[in-house]
Amino acid sequence: MTIKLHWFLPTYGDSRFIVGGGHGTPAGAAHSDRDASIDYLASIVRAAETFGFTGALIPTGAWCEDAFVTAALLARETTSLAFLVAFRPGLVSPTLSAQMAATFARHAPGRILLNVVVGGESHEQRAFGDFLDKDGRYRRCDEFLEVVRGLWNGDTVSLDGEHIQVDSAALALPPNPIPPLYFGGSSAAAGPAPAPTPAPSASSIPAVAAPTPSAMTAPSPTSAPKAATGAPLPGAATSVPTPAQAA
């Protein structure tokens, strides 16, 4: 079995803490000793690429910067590092999301991975205009991914679902390769269940329990990315999320 390691980009600002924020943290409340400027984040992704990491997880939420925009800005700073972009289905159109990922994949082939985050805390979801309960968010995610995967496969998609409605949606340039999806959840609704359609969906992807900050541990100091001089990057994050942890 091949192990792929992903670094973590602290787009809310960096510090010596393993986790400075997280789902439900109010905007502006995440702990930070260092500004997450694009130059600083670029130094992290270049170091991660140099030391052989597969990709870097970019979080989503009110407590951090937008993941898609950050990934697009950093793609030109590296040549092989992939970006595990966390996003919340339902906050934007599935057609637009599919198009954004396809555009990224065209300009940086094989370097976009998508971390499907159905939702964090309900009060944070409401701040984004989403008032569905958790079970409703999973049902919407099923419909969302049905549209997205159909578009990525080059299909013209129409859907009149409970939460998602699109009519004759299509992409001018479907992505090649199709971006992998990473999916995690810790509630009963996230567990495996029969998919309502043949298309891959949230309920048909095996779920993994999302780690809590208290359960996350740091690797040895020697595993942290270092600058060209060999010294550890100032303020670099010290946790290494794996695909199973990217929730």
Side-chain angles (χ1 to χ4, degrees):
M1 179 180 67
T2 301
I3 296 177
K4 296 181 179 180
L5 299 179
H6 295 251
W7 200 248
F8 178 81
L9 288 185
T11 56
Y12 49 86
D14 210 351
S15 71
R16 293 296 179 181
F17 292 92
I18 295 178
V19 178
H23 297 315
T25 303
H31 180 81
S32 171
D33 294 326
R34 182 189 293 272
D35 179 52
S37 68
I38 200 65
D39 289 338
Y40 178 64
L41 295 176
S43 73
I44 295 177
V45 297
R46 286 194 294 264
E49 181 175 78
T50 298
F51 283 89
F53 284 86
T54 297
L57 169 63
I58 307 180
T60 185
W63 53 282
C64 55
E65 300 284 10
D66 180 78
F68 249 114
V69 173
T70 301
L73 289 169
L74 293 174
R76 295 293 294 272
E77 301 290 337
T78 54
T79 58
S80 62
L81 190 78
F83 294 91
L84 181 52
V85 178
F87 78 103
R88 298 186 180 184
L91 298 185
V92 294
S93 154
T95 307
L96 178 58
S97 295
Q99 183 185 46
M100 291 167 63
T103 299
F104 196 110
R106 177 170 177 259
H107 296 297
R111 296 178 58 204
I112 183 168
L113 321 170
L114 293 175
N115 175 203
V116 181
V117 181
V118 172
E121 301 297 328
S122 294
H123 71 270
E124 185 181 36
Q125 292 295 123
R126 291 193 296 270
F128 282 100
D130 181 11
F131 289 83
L132 288 179
D133 61 15
K134 184 172 290 187
D135 288 353
R137 293 199 298 267
Y138 277 102
R139 292 195 301 272
R140 180 180 61 195
C141 185
D142 276 334
E143 297 175 359
F144 183 97
L145 293 180
E146 179 182 347
V147 173
V148 168
R149 293 302 297 267
L151 293 171
W152 285 349
N153 287 330
D155 300 334
T156 297
V157 180
S158 294
L159 178 67
D160 184 14
E162 178 186 3
H163 302 287
I164 302 291
Q165 294 84 36
V166 297
D167 183 28
S168 301
L171 295 181
L173 294 171
N176 185 20
I178 290 176
L181 294 176
Y182 288 63
F183 186 90
S186 56
S187 65
T197 69
S201 62
S203 59
S204 65
I205 302 173
V208 294
T212 61
S214 61
M216 297 178 70
T217 57
S220 62
T222 57
S223 64
K226 299 178 181 178
T229 59
L233 285 173
T238 55
S239 62
V240 184
T242 66
Q245 291 173 323

